[in-house]
Structure formats: structure tokens, C-alpha cells
Amino acid sequence: MKQTARPPAGFVDRPIVALDWTLAETLTGIGVRAIGVGQVATYASWVAQPALPQGTRDLGLRTQPNLEQLAALAPADILISPMLSSLAPRLSAIAPVTSIAIYTPDADTWQTLVKATRQLGKLTQREPQAEQLIRLSTARLAGYNAALRQQAARKGQSPLPLLMVQFMDDRHVRIFGDNSLFQAVIERMGIDNAWQGDTNAWGFATVSLEKLVTLKGRMVVVEPLPPGGHQALAHNGLWQAMPGVRENSQASAPLFLPPVWSFGALPSANRFAELLASHLLDEHLLAKHTDKELDGESTLEGETTDGNH
């Protein structure tokens, strides 16, 4: 079964499938439309941006893909992360399987993201686009860093350390630290992490709200929240005792960000940085940085070149 609809402007088709969302968003970031991705609709809720190109087929659950549909697509390669390695024997009966690691213990997360981007660029013959994504991502974070330092020098106050969380339920959160995407981003933006505790291989720890009450920092809550989350927090005594909530200060009030894939790659890193900067930077500095970025940016939109041509 082959796709017949032409890819959207700026994209090329490749006969590969990506069960892992991190790999799927990276392919999207370098202008590749895979013929299939796991859980396309749920991707839109948890990853949001970059949106998968129109025409991407949904292969069912990432951990239990529809093997009949997968075989009918006749891919040349199936991309997975090591977390899905148990699927490799069944998948390899359909097509060659390539496993690409993103989050590995004792590795520099940013460099791992860069390496994976280059690997996918080579695999899909989109090496120039991969290098462009790396270059623009690096420059964007460096630009935000410079703008935040300029703002701090003028105001005599640096941004507060951040407590970056996602709610699991009304009493427990994932809090992100070493080895996480969010940590890699704020390091490059020159912002400290208020969480110095242990984290797992994906860069987070699951903790109760009680454990955060005594920490000093600004809460950054990455959505989606559990059902009824905002209403529940309004009546949650532990939340009302959180840093920034209890002070009722605009400068330290919690920031609620729309969904960002916390286990993502460079596209999610860019999204997280942009959302943070929109809250932390004064309007004129944000506009100045954005204008400067656009002036030097050669975007992927509208590109129709393939490979090195």
C-alpha cells in the first residue's frame, strides 16, 4: 500500500515508519513525512508541535502496532527507540528495524539529541536539513540566553530557578532534572534548576507535592493536566503552599505551558524554549530576539530539495 497524496509543501516522503514519537517529531523537523507513526491522534495531545504532516498514517499503539497494516505499507525501515526493543523480532519479519537511542544514562542529553538528528538526516538523505535544525536550535537557545542576561543586567535580577513538573495526579508530579530535555534547554538559556535531586534515565523523578513545598524556585507546569486539573489545584492545599503560589507574586507565579513532549528531541527543545521565553522575557526583548532570529533563518518551509540537491 503506497501513499498517493503528495506530501505537504516543505516535506518529502520516505518509505519508513516511526513508532516512537521522538523520532517522528525529528523526522518532521527535517521535513520528512514517514508513511506511518504510532498513535497519531495521541501525539497531537502530548507532543502538539511540530504537528505531523498531513497524510501520516496511524499505526495504532506504539507498543502494540497493527502488524497487518504495517506489513501492507511495505516500509523499507522501521524506526524504534530502545524502549520498544521487545517488538524487534516481530517487526524485523516485516522490514529492517533501526533502533535510535535518545535518552541514555551518563550521556550529555543535548549531544545525544544532536547525534540522533544527524543519524536520521543520514538515514533519510536529509543531511543538510538535519544540520540546519541543529544550527537553528543551538542559535535559538544562545539567543534567549543573551536576551535573558541583558534583561537581568538592566533589572539587577536573574530569573528564578525553575521547578519543571508534569502532574500525574492531584498529589504527584514528574519533576525534571539531570538528563532531561527540559534541563538541557534551561542550561543553554542560562537558567538554574531548583530540583537537584536524583532522576531516572529519562531525566525525571516522581515525587509528591509535599516534597516540593520547601524548595525555592518558580513552578513551571507542562500540560496536559489530569482531567479537572485546574479546578482541582484551586482547592488543593498542598498546591496553595507551593513556591510562588503562596506569595501570590506575579514575578514568581507558576507558569502553565501547553503540551511539550518531555521526552522529545530538538523540535520539542525549541518549543519548550520558545514557550519559556515568551513568559520570562520582556516583550520588546522577545520581539527583538524573534526578529533577529527570523532575519538569519532559512526555514524548511517551502523547501523541495531532496537529499543533497
Side-chain angles (χ1 to χ4, degrees):
M1 184 187 301
K2 302 292 184 183
Q3 284 183 278
T4 55
R6 289 176 59 85
F11 286 88
V12 296
D13 279 339
R14 289 292 182 262
I16 57 177
V17 300
L19 298 183
D20 179 270
W21 287 344
T22 307
L23 303 179
E25 73 162 19
T26 306
L27 291 173
T28 302
I30 61 174
V32 172
R33 180 173 70 174
I35 55 176
V37 170
Q39 291 175 264
V40 167
T42 314
Y43 174 104
S45 299
W46 282 92
V47 185
Q49 295 294 329
L52 294 172
Q54 199 169 25
T56 304
R57 295 178 184 272
D58 192 330
L59 297 174
L61 296 177
R62 290 169 291 163
T63 55
Q64 295 178 334
N66 184 321
L67 297 181
E68 287 186 4
Q69 184 181 21
L70 190 53
L73 289 174
D77 209 338
I78 301 172
L79 306 182
I80 64 170
S81 67
M83 276 193 67
L84 302 177
S85 59
S86 62
L87 298 175
R90 282 173 289 165
L91 296 176
S92 60
I94 297 172
V97 175
T98 299
S99 178
I100 297 178
I102 300 288
Y103 293 90
T104 56
D106 303 319
D108 182 295
T109 301
W110 186 263
Q111 293 307 317
T112 306
L113 301 181
V114 168
K115 180 180 178 182
T117 303
R118 287 191 170 123
Q119 189 174 351
L120 287 169
K122 184 175 182 180
L123 182 71
T124 59
Q125 298 178 304
R126 297 283 280 181
E127 290 164 286
Q129 289 79 9
E131 292 301 324
Q132 182 186 45
L133 176 58
I134 294 165
R135 183 172 63 254
L136 294 179
S137 302
T138 304
R140 177 172 289 127
L141 296 190
Y144 288 142
N145 183 308
L148 285 167
R149 283 189 285 110
Q150 181 181 345
Q151 179 170 284
R154 191 181 74 251
K155 294 185 172 183
Q157 184 178 8
S158 298
L160 291 170
L162 301 180
L163 285 163
M164 303 171 291
V165 303
Q166 280 185 316
F167 273 87
M168 306 301 292
D169 56 41
D170 62 350
R171 298 179 65 89
H172 298 87
V173 297
R174 286 175 174 167
I175 187 161
F176 295 88
D178 283 345
N179 209 49
S180 69
L181 176 78
F182 298 158
Q183 173 72 24
V185 169
I186 66 170
E187 277 180 2
R188 279 154 185 78
M189 291 177 68
I191 305 171
D192 292 331
N193 193 338
W195 176 255
Q196 297 297 315
D198 292 336
T199 57
N200 59 20
W202 294 278
F204 71 88
T206 302
V207 300
S208 65
L209 286 180
E210 290 99 326
K211 195 161 186 176
L212 306 183
V213 170
T214 59
L215 297 180
K216 294 182 179 180
R218 189 170 192 179
M219 298 286 294
V220 176
V221 180
V222 181
E223 298 180 343
L225 295 176
H230 284 284
Q231 295 88 336
L233 289 180
H235 300 95
N236 185 321
L238 283 172
W239 174 254
Q240 298 306 318
M242 286 293 108
V245 182
R246 58 177 179 253
E247 291 90 353
N248 194 26
S249 163
Q250 184 175 354
S252 60
L255 304 177
F256 286 83
L257 304 186
V260 179
W261 185 227
S262 53
F263 313 114
L266 293 182
S268 283
N270 288 331
R271 176 168 167 79
F272 184 64
E274 289 164 6
L275 291 169
L276 263 186
S278 70
H279 286 282
L280 299 180
L281 282 173
D282 289 346
E283 204 169 301
H284 74 282
L285 275 174
L286 182 64
K288 178 181 175 182
H289 172 73
T290 303
D291 290 344
K292 182 178 178 182
E293 184 177 282
L294 290 173
D295 284 344
E297 193 172 286
S298 173
T299 64
L300 289 171
E301 288 299 318
E303 284 189 9
T304 56
T305 55
D306 195 347
N308 293 314
H309 301 290

